[in-house]
Amino acid sequence: MSARLIDGHALAARLRAEIGERAARLAEQGHRPGLAVVLVGEDPASAVYVRNKVRACQEHGLHSVLEKYDATLSEAALLARIEALNADPDVHGILVQMPLPRHIDAHKVIAAIATHKDVDGFSVQSAGELASGLPGLRPCTPYGCMKLIESTGVPLRGRHAVVVGRSNTVGKPMALLLLQANATVTICHSATPDLGHFTRDADVVVAAVGRRNVVTADMVKRGAVIIDVGMNRNDEGKLCGDVDFAAVREALGPEGWLTPVPGGVGPMTVTMLLENTVQAALAQTADRR
Ligand code: NAP
């Protein structure tokens, strides 16, 4: 018997239905949650991501503004746009699609977004709120991973969670969210000499590396929960994660849980962006409702 799959599509659909209802209630009170998505340049992958985000807003009753600019837009002009969006009461969340053209300092741009509108949760201020245990907007992918873990019913308190990867957007915030949920957390990275030594002891593993087969069957504990954030291509060009899926699913046994790629973490990321936008709208309109 092999591990159960955590269905990201099903969970995302359930959460999106609730988000749609909360957005509709806010809209009835004259505060439709609004997201501004800013795209600079012609990167084809970014164009697809942006389109998906705008479409998700439209499908769930959120107001969305798509601002598309030529790759030649100056840093000063982009910062001026962010200032205007910060001041716009119809915009509760601002997302600047990365990567930006080289002549624009992404750190400066992220820092310019008002913290209460930072629905990506990438700013130093938002990261500081998370690290300090203060309320705030959480980065969408790790936030979605927490929801996937929660959906298994496996409690995190006192469990050993291993995060593989330490990027500012996934690994580090993931580790902090697990810590906040009272897990005992280990963070592994490219300089970790024996990854299996840590993952074999883990009740929960979150793999966020971007390399196939980083987690193999001999590296997991029976009954563990494995969240595969990685997005890679296999030899046939098909999307796959960081986990050796079929063999790890067997090794986990019937008590274990595993997210598929695609269909696990992917659908949750945009869902949590909608969630953050609704949360931001609720916070920004609290005194006017
Ligand atoms: P990243 O910035 O490249 O970070 C990768 C991390 O993996 C780094 O911390 C790196 O360590 C570590 N690493 C590299 N090789 C390793 C190894 N052999 N053993 C252990 N750790 C190793 O990537 P990211 O932005 O965090 O994204 C990670 C993956 O998740 C990518 O495949 C990305 O496409 C995917 N992703 C998916 C979603 C989604 O919505 N599904 C969202 C975001 C990201 P060092 O720090 O030491 O270099």
Side-chain angles (χ1 to χ4, degrees):
M1 287 270 282
S2 55
R4 292 157 286 185
L5 295 185
I6 312 174
D7 184 343
H9 282 300
L11 179 59
R14 269 206 309 281
L15 293 177
R16 285 183 189 206
E18 286 169 23
I19 290 165
E21 284 167 20
R22 283 153 69 209
R25 279 198 295 276
L26 275 165
E28 276 165 23
Q29 296 165 340
H31 306 294
R32 182 181 298 279
L35 174 70
V37 180
V38 181
L39 175 65
V40 185
E42 314 295 329
D43 179 53
S46 294
V48 173
Y49 294 147
V50 159
R51 206 178 316 133
N52 288 343
K53 289 166 187 174
V54 169
R55 192 189 306 138
C57 283
Q58 287 163 350
E59 285 172 358
H60 297 88
L62 280 73
H63 165 64
S64 64
V65 186
L66 173 56
E67 297 205 359
K68 272 176 154 177
Y69 296 102
D70 214 69
T72 55
L73 183 78
S74 71
E75 184 181 281
L78 179 56
L79 291 172
R81 274 313 302 152
I82 305 274
E83 273 313 304
L85 292 169
N86 281 342
D88 185 340
D90 292 332
V91 169
H92 305 100
I94 302 170
L95 180 151
V96 179
Q97 186 64 46
M98 298 293 153
L100 287 168
R102 276 159 182 255
H103 65 276
I104 299 178
D105 180 345
H107 294 289
K108 225 186 215 179
V109 172
I110 293 169
I113 298 171
T115 306
H116 57 281
K117 297 194 178 188
D118 176 26
V119 282
D120 252 343
F122 288 169
S123 71
V124 171
Q125 184 67 29
S126 298
E129 287 173 348
L130 173 58
S132 312
L134 294 170
L137 297 164
R138 307 309 190 207
C140 300
T141 299
Y143 194 9
C145 293
M146 290 301 287
K147 295 283 178 193
L148 288 163
I149 298 168
E150 257 171 55
S151 76
T152 66
V154 173
L156 280 167
R157 187 181 186 83
R159 303 292 172 99
H160 184 199
V162 170
V163 179
V164 191
R166 57 172 165 181
S167 69
N168 288 336
T169 49
V170 188
K172 276 184 209 154
M174 187 72 237
L176 288 166
L177 287 168
L178 289 162
L179 190 63
Q180 214 164 60
N182 290 314
T184 301
V185 182
T186 302
I187 307 173
C188 298
H189 43 78
S190 66
T192 302
D194 180 5
L195 183 60
H197 168 77
F198 299 97
T199 56
R200 267 190 293 278
D201 182 60
D203 304 300
V204 175
V205 176
V206 181
V209 172
R211 193 180 297 186
R212 285 163 60 191
N213 299 335
V214 164
V215 178
T216 51
D218 58 318
M219 292 167 71
V220 299
K221 179 159 89 177
R222 224 176 146 71
V225 178
I226 313 277
I227 307 293
D228 192 350
V229 185
M231 286 200 307
N232 312 296
R233 296 275 164 194
N234 66 15
D235 292 337
E236 290 87 53
K238 283 194 183 148
L239 196 62
C240 68
D242 292 346
V243 174
D244 183 6
F245 180 79
V248 166
R249 191 176 177 193
E250 274 311 307
L252 291 170
E255 301 303 314
W257 292 93
L258 175 62
T259 56
V261 178
V265 175
M268 293 299 292
T269 296
V270 175
T271 302
M272 301 325 288
L273 175 67
L274 301 181
E275 169 66 32
N276 276 348
T277 305
V278 170
Q279 277 180 26
L282 280 165
Q284 286 163 49
T285 58
D287 56 348
R288 284 177 279 136
R289 278 184 286 117

